[in-house]
Amino acid sequence: MEFYEPKAKTFGWSQMAGLAGALLVLLLWGKYIGPRFAAPPPATGGAEAGGAVEEPGEEAAGRPEPAGGPVAGEEEPAGPGEEEGEEPEEGPAGGDGPEAGAEIEPAAVPDITFETEEFEVVLASRGGCLKSLRLRNYHFTPDDPASLPIVGTLKRTEQGEAENGFMLSLDEPNDFAYWNWKVESRATGESGTKVVMSAAKGGWKVTKEYVFPASGLVFTVNVRIENASGKARTGGYTMLTLPGILPDDVPNRFFIMQAVLAGRESDTADLMLSKINSAKASDMKADELRMSSIVNEWEGLTNRYFTAITAPDGPVTAMYVSPVAPTPEILVETPHYLIPNLALYVKGDLGNVAPDDTRELSYLVYAGPKSGQLLAEASVTEDGRDHDFDDIVVYGWGFFSKFDWLSAILVYVLNFFARLIPSYGIAITMLTLVVKVALHPMTRKSGVSMHKMQVLAPKIAEIKARYKADNSTEAMRRMNAETMELYRKHGVSPLGGCLPMLVQLPMFVALYGALRTAFELRQKGFLWIDDLTKPDELFNLPFTVPYFQWTTFNLLPILYMALIFIQQKLQPKSNDPQQQQQRKMMMLMPVMFFFIFYSMPSGLVLYFVVSNAMTLGEQWLIRRQLAGDPAILAMKEAAGIPAGESLDAGGDRETAWDRQKKRDERERQKRDERKKRRQNQ
């Protein structure tokens, strides 16, 4: 390919003369003509309000203007004789008051980074905000040495400004969020690290103090707002407390992000919770994303196993949630942010603020595991006030959340066993044994009732056979009366086998919620299982299972299905056609649960596998105990069943059902013969 090559041009006397003339015109314009069109100097002291016309430099051009236009009182970077970062003295208030004072934005300084035993912290002077917070003792995967991020930048404005934690905006407008704050002090000692920043703008002076103890998952943010305008003022504020929560796992069916707003109608009232799912927030009304209570207790964000909570103290009128769509370039950097996120805000009214008067705001912040024990310890302040942070842990949804108290007890027992034997796989096995022992009386009662019903099945069949030809209401009444009399005589309840199972249902629901949600199982292994919160994944498949997109071989769901088949095979057989049909339908249940459990957390499936193995032994024990029970032997004798014969032999013994079927067959043959004779006549 040929490229065009321009010819060189010469520079003659005519071009030099033109350039000299242009320079002369510019010099004359700047010295004699330009000043006539220049803007008047800014008002000072008691001059009338009206700030200087601002020509944005690089930072001002990139900074978004708050609603209502540019902020009055801003000036260009410091000129000669002014030290960059220093705030010039304000003259007495005059004219419109705060706009008369002029503040110069300090120069941006590098981010402040430090560590505690639990956190890696990054504070930014831009906005005086919490830019990043990482948990040092937790990791995204067991093989990842990096600390787990929990708070960080998710979104940038159109002007490229990052939205980070604890960004403050005041009314009028006076937006301190996109303003360089001055670092007043930074101190690190045995007790922890304290960083103090300040900013002055529009007649307000704001001081922000971050206090991180040397250990623990709790820190505080203190904000002091001072009226430096020289006249009384009113207004409100908005604080972006948490810009979102970062994911702790790759997106999966159990991965959720939600916000929780908590408040009370009085200091002694029960805590009210409003839960907002990140996937549904964008379709919710504004009132549904807001909480305004007498006591605004706290607001928090959760992913699957971690949470960040802020408890505001000060003039708070409302807490609210806003959906966050991460900025595209952030999605490219970290694909795990694809799930919609949420941001938390606090609004308040400063009231009538006298000159030099202040308003104090404080935020108690917890960032760490979603563990009931850790949250309960962190929610109690030094003055004895309990914020009930542990209420953010939810084990069940909807109606099933009523059993959360039972799930919490089971998690406590699970942790107790894990402390005795440092293996959560063994702890789950021991918890299963405890549950089986606790429920054994109900299970035995259910087994005894079902056993008695099977013994009485021939007698019940005979009663039904007597009234089969009569479909009248009176015949049905007599049949039911005889059946109930038979039950009463032998002490059998028709619901005796179902009620104990219904009583056990809350325990099963609580166990499911506890093992599905328990943070303690995260990244804990057992035998071939790497993580009890994920499928057991014995090995990778050389192909992908169509439709289900399975790529690993999971052993536990197969063991569970096999144990269910064995358990069903050991159940006593019945000659009742309805029970036989139900038995065939129940054979499909193991297959259904296999598909349900294949992608379930292995800790949950491990519980069901161990539970079914114990159930086989429990059934054998119950059947052995009932074999010599005098009441059962008497019932067998009354039903014509030999004492030593097992009910499982019922398939080889002629029963009332078999006799009735033979009678029906004979009647059908007689009808067919009569019909043929009539046709031949």
Side-chain angles (χ1 to χ4, degrees):
M1 181 181 294
E2 294 183 358
F3 293 90
Y4 170 72
E5 183 176 351
K7 295 181 179 180
K9 294 183 179 180
T10 58
F11 193 82
W13 288 103
S14 59
Q15 287 82 1
M16 292 181 62
L19 180 59
L23 290 174
L24 180 61
V25 171
L26 289 176
L27 290 173
L28 293 174
W29 178 277
K31 187 166 184 66
Y32 299 103
I33 303 175
R36 299 183 181 182
F37 298 92
T44 58
E48 295 295 326
V53 176
E54 178 184 357
E55 294 185 15
E58 289 183 4
E59 287 189 13
R63 184 169 61 253
E65 291 182 359
V71 177
E74 290 188 15
E75 290 189 354
E76 296 180 13
E82 291 180 343
E83 221 174 292
E84 190 170 355
E86 261 186 62
E87 297 172 5
E89 296 181 1
E90 292 182 30
D96 289 340
E99 290 79 2
E103 298 90 5
I104 296 178
E105 182 176 9
V109 298
D111 294 339
I112 302 171
T113 61
F114 57 90
E115 294 181 354
T116 67
E117 289 186 7
E118 299 288 347
F119 298 126
E120 290 180 5
V121 187
V122 179
L123 303 178
S125 65
R126 187 68 170 173
C129 62
L130 176 64
K131 185 176 181 179
S132 173
L133 186 66
R134 289 174 170 264
L135 302 175
R136 295 185 60 192
N137 299 321
Y138 304 97
H139 312 279
F140 197 84
T141 62
D143 301 329
D144 186 1
S147 302
L148 178 69
I150 187 169
V151 177
T153 303
L154 284 173
K155 184 180 179 182
R156 295 183 183 275
T157 65
E158 295 180 357
Q159 292 79 13
E161 295 281 5
E163 295 187 355
N164 293 319
F166 298 98
M167 281 187 160
L168 176 69
S169 297
L170 298 179
D171 295 347
E172 297 192 3
N174 282 285
D175 197 345
F176 285 84
Y178 310 122
W179 183 263
N180 291 335
W181 289 53
K182 181 180 179 181
V183 179
E184 298 286 354
S185 64
R186 170 183 174 177
T188 300
E190 294 182 359
S191 60
T193 300
K194 181 168 71 172
V195 178
V196 180
M197 301 182 183
S198 67
K201 186 179 182 183
W204 294 104
K205 183 177 181 181
V206 182
T207 304
K208 195 180 295 183
E209 180 184 74
Y210 292 91
V211 181
F212 283 82
S215 61
L217 294 165
V218 176
F219 63 94
T220 56
V221 181
N222 303 313
V223 182
R224 184 172 180 267
I225 303 174
E226 179 183 354
N227 178 9
S229 67
K231 61 181 295 185
R233 310 180 67 179
T234 59
Y237 73 91
T238 300
M239 178 73 80
L240 169 59
T241 55
L242 294 174
I245 186 167
L246 304 185
D248 60 342
D249 198 358
V250 295
N252 56 65
R253 59 185 296 190
F254 304 103
F255 190 90
I256 59 171
M257 286 185 177
Q258 73 166 0
V260 181
L261 306 179
R264 308 178 194 271
E265 290 301 328
S266 67
D267 290 333
T268 58
D270 293 335
L271 197 67
M272 301 182 300
L273 300 179
S274 176
K275 302 171 185 177
I276 298 101
N277 191 308
S278 62
K280 301 178 181 179
S282 58
D283 298 326
M284 297 175 67
K285 299 179 180 178
D287 291 344
E288 297 174 323
L289 300 173
R290 177 187 178 97
M291 174 173 282
S292 181
S293 307
I294 302 300
V295 179
N296 295 284
E297 197 71 56
W298 51 263
E299 55 183 1
L301 294 174
T302 71
N303 50 34
R304 187 177 178 188
Y305 290 113
F306 293 88
T307 183
I309 302 175
T310 62
D313 186 14
V316 178
T317 56
M319 303 178 297
Y320 67 94
V321 180
S322 178
V324 174
T327 305
E329 59 266 22
I330 298 178
L331 293 179
V332 174
E333 296 170 3
T334 311
H336 303 320
Y337 296 166
L338 287 173
I339 292 180
N341 219 299
L342 301 168
L344 298 182
Y345 293 82
V346 171
K347 291 183 70 70
D349 186 5
L350 300 177
N352 187 15
V353 186
D356 300 325
D357 200 0
T358 61
R359 294 290 182 268
E360 306 282 346
L361 312 176
S362 181
Y363 300 88
L364 178 69
V365 186
Y366 172 90
K370 198 163 50 174
S371 166
Q373 181 179 356
L374 294 176
L375 287 163
E377 295 172 357
S379 64
V380 180
T381 57
E382 295 180 355
D383 58 0
R385 180 182 176 184
D386 190 352
H387 293 283
D388 294 324
F389 287 167
D390 50 323
D391 283 1
I392 203 170
V393 181
V394 177
Y395 296 101
W397 297 95
F399 170 78
F400 297 110
S401 63
K402 297 182 182 297
F403 304 116
D404 280 3
W405 62 273
L406 186 55
S407 295
I409 294 175
L410 293 173
V411 170
Y412 177 83
V413 175
L414 181 70
N415 291 331
F416 173 76
F417 287 134
R419 286 193 295 269
L420 294 179
I421 303 175
S423 170
Y424 272 93
I426 297 177
I428 291 175
T429 303
M430 297 178 69
L431 177 64
T432 309
L433 179 61
V434 169
V435 172
K436 275 294 177 186
V437 171
L439 298 180
H440 177 73
M442 296 181 187
T443 304
R444 188 181 187 283
K445 185 176 181 180
S446 175
V448 170
S449 180
M450 293 174 66
H451 200 82
K452 289 182 178 180
M453 290 288 290
Q454 290 165 0
V455 173
L456 294 178
K459 293 289 185 181
I460 296 173
E462 291 178 0
I463 295 174
K464 291 181 178 180
R466 288 201 302 267
Y467 294 95
K468 183 177 182 181
D470 190 351
N471 294 327
S472 65
T473 304
E474 181 62 23
M476 292 294 102
R477 187 189 66 78
R478 291 199 302 270
M479 182 186 72
N480 292 333
E482 289 186 29
T483 304
M484 295 306 296
E485 178 61 23
L486 181 67
Y487 289 152
R488 187 194 64 77
K489 180 180 178 181
H490 293 282
V492 178
S493 172
L495 299 178
C498 299
L499 286 178
M501 296 180 65
L502 291 176
V503 174
Q504 297 178 47
L505 182 61
M507 179 66 74
F508 295 146
V509 172
L511 270 169
Y512 174 81
L515 296 177
R516 183 182 66 89
T517 310
F519 161 80
E520 288 77 5
L521 300 182
R522 182 179 185 268
Q523 297 181 359
K524 299 297 192 301
F526 180 63
L527 298 178
W528 71 91
I529 305 170
D530 294 329
D531 190 342
L532 287 168
T533 64
K534 296 181 179 180
D536 53 293
E537 301 178 355
L538 185 60
F539 58 83
N540 293 324
L541 296 173
F543 56 87
T544 300
V545 178
Y547 183 74
F548 298 101
Q549 302 299 312
W550 294 338
T551 58
T552 58
F553 179 83
N554 303 341
L555 180 60
L556 287 179
I558 297 175
L559 292 177
Y560 175 80
M561 182 173 63
L563 288 170
I564 289 290
F565 274 123
I566 296 172
Q567 187 177 339
Q568 290 180 344
K569 287 293 184 182
L570 295 179
Q571 291 289 339
K573 299 179 180 63
S574 173
N575 292 294
D576 187 341
Q578 292 183 351
Q579 293 188 12
Q580 289 178 351
Q581 185 66 26
Q582 291 177 359
R583 185 182 180 86
K584 292 179 180 178
M585 294 178 62
M586 291 295 290
M587 295 296 287
L588 297 175
M589 188 178 69
V591 179
M592 179 183 67
F593 275 98
F594 167 78
F595 288 101
I596 293 175
F597 282 166
Y598 202 84
S599 300
M600 283 280 188
S602 55
L604 179 64
V605 185
L606 176 64
Y607 163 78
F608 283 104
V609 169
V610 175
S611 178
N612 281 337
M614 292 181 179
T615 298
L616 292 176
E618 188 179 30
Q619 287 181 346
W620 175 83
L621 179 62
I622 292 174
R623 288 158 65 87
R624 184 174 179 179
Q625 292 174 345
L626 294 178
D629 191 303
I632 299 295
L633 294 175
M635 291 177 64
K636 285 185 175 182
E637 183 179 357
I641 303 175
E645 183 177 354
S646 170
L647 292 180
D648 293 340
D652 301 325
R653 178 176 55 82
E654 185 178 47
T655 63
W657 285 104
D658 299 322
R659 293 192 292 270
Q660 181 63 37
K661 288 170 67 176
K662 290 181 178 180
R663 287 194 294 268
D664 293 341
E665 181 64 20
R666 288 195 295 268
E667 289 292 335
R668 186 186 64 79
Q669 292 176 356
K670 290 179 181 179
R671 287 195 301 271
D672 292 343
E673 291 176 0
R674 288 195 296 268
K675 185 177 181 180
K676 290 179 180 179
R677 286 197 297 268
R678 285 195 300 270
Q679 291 176 350
N680 294 333
Q681 291 177 356

